């Protein structure tokens, strides 16, 4: 994590300085807004977020503060700072140390003949959307008073630096996997070997809980940044069985519990697992990408609405949904993924069940299974196409909260030339062919290449049950889509449980910081 010198925002130059800050974080905020971090990492390693105490916890914590500098008028004897409905804490440098001024408001006397400028440091206690009534913007009034009353009042707009998800194409500096419940020693050894060649450490989390074996689903590692400081923000698990995310709290890493586990069952039992939440690559239309989450058109169930509300409140990556009803696990990371493309403009990866079935042939199935398989894959192909380009009769993608028929490509600012199709065939149970022409409870017949892990240009793709011809086609298409290298790994221990490499792993990725 890199930090630069704190930004000193002078009142006369607020619009210019804040404009630089906010363009860097992609925040929708007026030009005179000042970006502030929610200081919820743990720089002093005391087990508590820094914003929960009234201290500046060393030089690293100081870098997470925003310094606001305003001119001090002649004759001022007292200054009052009031944050209007904003969870802000104020500090003043006092010699070599720091003085805590207050939470939400503060006032203190000014010495006659003091400095020409007043410098106040500020941190936020919480992200936008926590609580849901806090939308991430607030007014700070700085009032100077003399012997006869107010001399000058400055109204400043403060905006929270948004929490943003990072695309799978962003560089990785640490990867994660779980061990203990499944016999995955060979998988972990092979994965570690690949990552060592990329100079990326692999952290293995021991667990006896089968849910934690799906490391992608236990957390989402996001980021929040101003021009001069940043921290990773771990969105903690939503299943009530996620012991790993809290262990990551530390310097430059915050852990955010933005929703509570829900009692889910049936086809939506896995809806709140983080494999059901992705983000697209940046495009000209959406420079920070857009959050993508799964929605079951058959039940109306979707990824946790409180998390979607939290991400919406960031005003950075407006969420969209895709239909996941046709899958048995119903996760977005089985349907869409992204690579940079040969030109760096981004491509979207999706399954191609028609090609997958053609490459498989009918050697693995007799009637009536073969007929059911042909029909199922044809229907899945139509569902994926409807998701991409839109379908007025059976919407498969839309804006959050909207059941409209907009295609995902239009929602992301992509066109059909940016689609890369990867061959994979699916099977469904006898009841999986629905009377309305749809499909449900489909599972891939081999490792789904869409559910791969991308690490610094290398695609790590599962190979369990995958025909050799399919492997070569996938390799060629990954490379044509901008990958530097492709590594295959036997993920059979996960494939038999309806998941693959992406489901089994997680990664801390680096933020892409725009140039100042």
């Amino acid at each position: 994590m890199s930090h630069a010198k704190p930004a000193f925002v002078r009142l006369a130059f607020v619009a210019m300085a804040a404009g630089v800050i906010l363009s860097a974080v992609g925040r929708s905020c007026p030009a005179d807004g000042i970006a502030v971090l929610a200081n919820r990492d743990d720089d002093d390693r005391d087990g508590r977020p820094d914003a929960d105490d009234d201290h500046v916890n060393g030089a690293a914590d100081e870098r997470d503060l925003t310094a606001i500098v305003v001119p001090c008028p002649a004759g001022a004897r007292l200054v009052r700072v009031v944050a209007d409905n904003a969870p802000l804490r104020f500090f003043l440098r006092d010699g070599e140390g720091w003085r805590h001024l207050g939470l939400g408001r503060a006032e203190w006397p000014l010495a006659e003949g003091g400095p020409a400028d007043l410098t106040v440091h500020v941190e936020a206690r919480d992200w936008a959307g926590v609580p849901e009534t806090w939308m991430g913007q607030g007014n700070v009034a700085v009032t100077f008073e003399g012997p006869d009353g107010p001399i000058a009042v400055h109204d400043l707009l403060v905006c929270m630096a948004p929490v943003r998800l990072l695309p799978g194409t962003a560089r990785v500096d640490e990867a994660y996997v779980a061990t203990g419940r499944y016999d995955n020693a060979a998988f972990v050894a092979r994965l570690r070997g690949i990552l060592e060649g990329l100079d990326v450490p692999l952290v293995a989390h021991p667990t006896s809980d089968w849910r934690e074996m799906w490391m992608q689903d236990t957390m989402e590692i996001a980021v929040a940044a101003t021009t001069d400081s940043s921290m990773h923000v771990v969105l903690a698990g939503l299943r009530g069985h996620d012991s790993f995310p809290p262990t990551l709290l530390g310097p430059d890493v915050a852990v955010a519990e933005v929703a509570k586990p829900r009692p889910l069952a049936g086809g939506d039992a896995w809806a709140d697992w983080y494999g059901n939440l992705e983000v697209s690559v940046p495009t000209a239309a959406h420079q920070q990408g857009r959050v993508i989450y799964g929605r079951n058109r058959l039940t109306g169930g979707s990824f946790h609405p409180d998390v979607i509300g939290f991400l919406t409140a960031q005003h950075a990556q407006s969420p969209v949904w895709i239909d996941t009803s046709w899958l048995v696990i119903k996760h977005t990371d089985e349907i869409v993924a992204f690579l940079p493309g040969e030109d760096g403009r981004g491509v979207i990866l999706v399954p191609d069940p028609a090609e997958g079935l053609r490459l498989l042939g009918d050697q693995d199935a007799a009637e009536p299974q073969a007929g059911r398989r042909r029909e199922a894959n044809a229907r899945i192909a139509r569902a994926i196409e409807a998701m991409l380009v839109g379908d007025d009769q059976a919407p498969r993608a839309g804006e959050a909260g909207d059941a409209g028929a907009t295609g995902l490509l239009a929602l992301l600012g992509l066109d059909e030339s940016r689609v890369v199709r990867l061959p994979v065939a699916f099977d469904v149970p006898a009841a999986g062919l629905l009377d309305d022409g749809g499909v449900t409870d489909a599972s891939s017949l081999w490792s789904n290449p869409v559910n791969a892990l991308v690490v610094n240009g290398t695609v790590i793709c599962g190979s369990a049950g995958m025909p050799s011809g399919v492997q070569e086609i996938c390799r060629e298409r990954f490379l044509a889509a901008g990958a530097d290298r492709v590594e295959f790994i036997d993920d059979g221990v996960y494939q038999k449980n309806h998941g693959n490499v992406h489901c089994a792993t997680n990664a801390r990725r680096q933020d892409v910081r725009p140039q100042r």
Side-chain angles (χ1 to χ4, degrees):
M1 190 73 59
S2 63
H3 293 286
K5 185 178 179 181
F8 289 86
V9 184
R10 292 181 179 273
L11 186 65
F13 302 103
V14 160
M16 179 180 69
V20 172
I21 291 172
L22 296 170
S23 65
V25 299
R27 173 74 169 148
S28 175
C29 186
D32 59 349
I34 301 169
V36 176
L37 276 175
N39 192 13
R40 301 205 62 79
D41 65 346
D42 182 17
D43 287 316
D44 62 350
R45 298 182 183 273
D46 68 350
R48 295 191 304 156
D50 293 336
D52 287 354
D53 62 39
D54 57 5
H55 306 290
V56 177
N57 300 298
D61 196 25
E62 178 182 341
R63 290 190 290 266
D64 293 333
L65 307 179
T66 295
I68 300 174
V69 183
V70 293
C72 187
R77 296 293 178 266
L78 180 142
V79 63
R80 181 180 300 108
V81 180
V82 178
D84 181 19
N85 298 319
L88 303 178
R89 192 186 295 278
F90 300 103
F91 295 92
L92 189 69
R93 185 177 286 281
D94 189 4
E96 295 299 316
W98 291 89
R99 189 197 329 168
H100 176 237
L101 298 174
L103 177 63
R105 61 182 298 120
E107 65 177 56
W108 64 99
L110 296 175
E112 187 174 357
D117 292 325
L118 172 71
T119 303
V120 180
H121 291 76
V122 60
E123 69 180 12
R125 290 199 64 193
D126 272 310
W127 317 106
V130 182
E132 62 182 21
T133 54
W134 164 231
M135 297 310 293
Q137 295 185 8
N139 184 70
V140 174
V142 182
T143 303
F144 292 94
E145 293 190 2
D148 299 321
I151 298 175
V153 179
H154 304 296
D155 288 322
L156 309 176
L157 179 65
V158 170
C159 300
M160 295 305 96
V163 175
R164 294 173 289 113
L165 306 191
L166 296 172
T169 53
R171 288 194 64 81
V172 173
D173 53 30
E174 190 168 73
Y176 307 98
V177 71
T179 61
R181 183 60 185 264
Y182 293 166
D183 183 12
N184 64 343
F187 174 88
V188 173
R190 168 74 171 136
L191 179 62
R192 191 181 301 279
I194 296 170
L195 295 175
E196 284 177 352
L198 299 170
D199 293 324
V200 174
L202 177 65
V203 175
H205 170 59
T207 181
S208 60
D209 193 308
W210 68 271
R211 284 158 288 210
E212 287 196 294
M213 295 300 297
W214 303 98
M215 186 58 80
Q216 185 64 217
D217 300 304
T218 198
M219 61 186 176
E220 182 73 30
I221 304 179
V223 71
T226 62
T227 299
D228 300 296
S229 187
S230 66
M231 64 181 65
H232 283 100
V233 182
V234 179
L235 303 185
L238 302 168
R239 305 175 298 181
H241 300 273
D242 299 286
S243 64
F244 184 62
T247 69
L248 297 178
L249 177 66
D252 296 326
V253 181
V255 178
E257 296 182 2
V258 299
K260 299 295 184 184
R262 299 186 294 169
L264 299 173
D268 292 327
W270 302 281
D272 290 346
W273 295 32
Y274 275 109
N276 204 21
L277 184 74
E278 295 298 320
V279 66
S280 67
V281 290
T283 63
H286 302 282
Q287 295 184 14
Q288 299 292 341
R290 298 192 75 172
V291 170
I292 305 171
Y293 67 96
R295 178 178 179 271
N296 183 345
R297 73 176 183 88
L298 301 175
T299 66
S302 72
F303 186 77
H304 204 305
D306 290 350
V307 179
I308 299 305
F310 171 78
L311 294 172
T312 300
Q314 308 309 307
H315 295 286
Q317 299 170 311
S318 52
V320 300
W321 61 268
I322 61 172
D323 174 42
T324 57
S325 64
W326 55 272
L327 285 162
V328 64
I329 300 298
K330 299 176 175 53
H331 281 180
T332 60
D333 68 352
E334 300 175 67
I335 303 175
V336 295
F338 298 88
L339 279 173
E342 288 186 306
D343 55 6
R345 293 171 48 220
V347 296
I348 182 171
L349 312 178
V350 297
D352 189 337
E355 184 180 24
L357 192 63
R358 179 179 62 78
L359 293 170
L360 174 68
D362 288 335
Q363 65 268 29
D364 286 347
E367 297 297 347
Q369 184 185 40
R372 184 174 71 242
R373 191 175 283 176
R374 286 192 297 271
E375 179 63 22
N377 281 275
R379 292 186 183 189
I380 293 169
R382 290 194 293 270
I384 292 171
E385 189 66 15
M387 174 195 73
L388 290 172
V389 302
D391 184 338
D392 291 335
Q393 302 304 313
R396 301 279 184 169
E399 302 271 0
D402 181 7
T406 308
L408 182 62
L409 294 178
L411 291 167
L412 301 182
L414 298 170
D415 59 48
E416 293 188 58
S417 70
R418 314 306 296 181
V419 179
V420 174
R421 302 176 191 275
L422 301 173
V424 57
F426 295 86
D427 206 356
V428 298
L433 296 178
L434 303 178
D435 292 340
D436 68 355
V439 171
T440 193
D441 293 338
S443 57
S444 64
L445 290 171
W446 56 78
S447 294
N448 184 345
V450 173
N451 196 259
L453 175 67
V454 182
V455 179
N456 304 345
T458 294
V459 174
I460 306 173
C461 180
S463 63
M466 183 181 284
S468 59
V470 172
Q471 283 194 31
E472 290 312 305
I473 290 172
C474 288
R475 184 190 304 276
E476 291 171 3
R477 291 183 187 171
F478 283 137
L479 293 172
D484 297 326
R485 189 173 65 165
V486 181
E487 296 282 356
F488 287 96
I489 182 171
D490 185 352
D491 60 344
V493 65
Y494 299 100
Q495 167 66 14
K496 69 181 182 181
N497 289 296
H498 306 297
N500 298 112
V501 177
H502 190 261
C503 299
T505 58
N506 213 313
R508 187 181 69 207
R509 298 181 182 273
Q510 298 175 8
D511 193 11
V512 179
R513 303 298 301 277
Q515 297 297 313
R516 295 184 64 180

